[in-house]
Amino acid sequence: MMKCGQVVYKMQNVVVCVGRHHACVYALKTGKYFHNLMERKDFETWLDNISVTFLSLTDLQKNETLDHLISLSGAVQLRHLSNNLETLLKRDFLKLLPLELSFYLLKWLDPQTLLTCCLVSKQWNKVISACTEVWQTACKNLGWQIDDSVQDSLHWKKVYLKAILRMKQLEDHEAFETSSLIGHSARVYALYYKDGLLCTVFSVDYSDELDILVSGSADFAVKVWALSAGTCLNTLTGHTEWVTKVVLQKCKVKSLLHSPGDYILLSADKYEIKIWPIGREINCKCLKTLSVSEDRSICLQPRLHFDGKYIVCSSALGLYQWDFASYDILRVIKTPEVANLALLGFGDVFALLFDNHYLYIMDLRTESLISRWPLPEYRKSKRGSSFLAGEASWLNGLDGHNDTGLVFATSMPDHSIHLVLWKEHC
């Protein structure tokens, strides 16, 4: 009968017993004990030797060895394995790694995965939220403007969450709301918007710096007015159709005909865009005339965009973009999905377009339509003066502040003005 200690292993003809200070083997055939199998020093020597042998094995042999040892283990050893394996296999690398290395690894994950990782623990949420470069890049990919002067390390994750919500609203066609302006007793023929003011006039633009206002009209002429005095300073001729759009803007590029800082006037009719130098000298001559077809077989839509660097106008073939320094056509953006799209606004990231039924947003990086908003049966105008875009800074990229206010306005058959506005952030 065994009295030496607890039975730990039983193998074929022997039973291994472990006491408090020693181990022994009981031979089943002879009934004899073999006490003090291994002293501590001998055990350490044995362990070193077996370790060297184990490391020399192949992966398959190591696995077989472990399987065999596990099969010999009792409850105490299995519990010991369970506790230690969990620590070894589930190491929190975000705690163990230097912060810079953690940031480098996090850059390889997409934002949605990172948001899921933020739920792992408070420590993970703190580290991931502070990874500024990751969230800035995610915001840029959504077409969001980045202000590098913001130093708050937790700021950009909040911005991303705001951005993803707004982009989801655009994709689901839920980013806008509508309103109406009532008060006219007769038809509204034309609308004009600038600096937060909506006016019911034809095509005009102005400069406080030059103290001039320019206007286009149905008599094929462009007039230059003294803004403060209200007197006509000059009449520019050369158009053979209604002048449906005038734009007064500072030039931002250098060419043989103009320099950065020069004021430039663009006027457009059904077929042509004319470029005029406007400054202190009011008497000016046309610098250049642009068109998309010499034989006038292709009409321009009555909308025009000019930001000092590029000129953009829509036609039946798509959106034409000219480089203002060279007057060369840079690209033609085709819109095969929807016919007869007209241009409302054009920026670095987005373009605002519309047809008879919808308002559209195009992502210019992919040249694809990403959102639309239904329009009522507004009053149609061949000259394109009865509808316009509102605030346009968001077209260069959303920033969480510029997606407010007026998006689109058009005159209605009942003499009211239909407005499309950004929904407020939740």
Side-chain angles (χ1 to χ4, degrees), residues 71-212:
S71 69
L72 300 177
S73 298
V76 175
Q77 287 70 47
L78 292 176
R79 185 163 54 250
H80 175 77
L81 278 174
S82 177
N83 293 337
N84 285 276
L85 283 175
E86 183 176 10
T87 303
L88 292 172
L89 295 177
K90 297 182 180 180
R91 289 184 177 180
D92 191 339
F93 71 93
L94 283 186
K95 283 186 176 180
L96 300 175
L97 292 176
L99 196 58
E100 294 78 6
L101 188 53
S102 295
F103 285 168
Y104 175 78
L105 294 175
L106 291 173
K107 288 193 296 186
W108 296 95
L109 299 178
D110 64 273
Q112 290 301 316
T113 300
L114 289 174
L115 290 176
T116 302
C117 291
C118 286
L119 303 176
V120 172
S121 67
K122 290 182 178 180
Q123 177 66 19
W124 277 46
N125 181 54
K126 182 179 179 181
V127 173
I128 295 172
S129 298
C131 192
T132 301
E133 185 178 351
V134 167
W135 299 113
Q136 282 187 338
T137 301
C139 290
K140 288 180 180 178
N141 291 338
L142 289 175
W144 221 253
Q145 294 186 45
I146 301 300
D147 182 0
D148 294 323
S149 65
V150 178
Q151 299 298 320
D152 182 4
S153 61
L154 302 180
H155 170 77
W156 291 109
K157 180 192 171 186
K158 298 176 183 176
V159 171
Y160 173 77
L161 293 173
K162 193 174 186 178
I164 200 71
L165 177 60
R166 180 59 92 190
M167 297 308 295
K168 182 68 166 58
Q169 288 178 333
L170 287 172
E171 291 174 4
D172 294 341
H173 318 306
E174 297 177 349
F176 305 133
E177 59 188 7
T178 59
S179 182
S180 296
L181 297 178
I182 301 172
H184 289 88
S185 59
R187 175 178 176 178
V188 178
Y189 284 90
L191 297 172
Y192 175 74
Y193 180 86
K194 188 170 183 177
D195 298 335
L197 299 176
L198 179 62
C199 310
T200 52
V201 300
F202 205 64
S203 180
V204 298
D205 205 348
Y206 66 90
S207 165
D208 288 322
E209 181 180 344
L210 297 179
D211 190 37
I212 64 171

Side-chain angles (χ1 to χ4, degrees), residues 243-356:
V243 180
T244 56
K245 186 67 176 177
V246 291
V247 178
L248 186 58
Q249 177 67 270
K250 273 187 177 181
C251 174
K252 297 180 181 178
V253 293
K254 182 177 180 57
S255 78
L256 294 176
L257 301 178
H258 43 70
S259 301
D262 291 347
Y263 269 95
I264 300 295
L265 168 64
L266 267 62
S267 57
D269 63 27
K270 188 177 180 179
Y271 300 106
E272 297 177 335
I273 301 169
K274 291 187 178 294
I275 302 171
W276 314 81
I278 294 289
R280 302 297 176 185
E281 177 59 45
I282 298 301
N283 297 316
C284 59
K285 294 183 179 180
C286 179
L287 294 176
K288 185 74 174 179
T289 299
L290 305 177
S291 64
V292 295
S293 60
E294 294 183 359
D295 60 357
R296 295 195 168 195
S297 59
I298 302 174
C299 295
L300 298 176
Q301 297 280 1
R303 314 303 303 166
L304 182 64
H305 169 83
F306 177 51
D307 62 1
K309 296 183 295 184
Y310 306 107
I311 301 171
V312 184
C313 192
S314 58
S315 74
L317 297 181
L319 299 178
Y320 280 78
Q321 183 180 23
W322 287 268
D323 174 50
F324 191 59
S326 64
Y327 301 126
D328 292 334
I329 295 177
L330 294 179
R331 62 174 172 170
V332 180
I333 302 174
K334 302 291 186 180
T335 54
E337 304 97 329
V338 184
N340 299 320
L341 281 182
L343 176 69
L344 282 168
F346 192 93
D348 296 334
V349 180
F350 303 111
L352 186 63
L353 311 166
F354 76 110
D355 62 13
N356 291 337

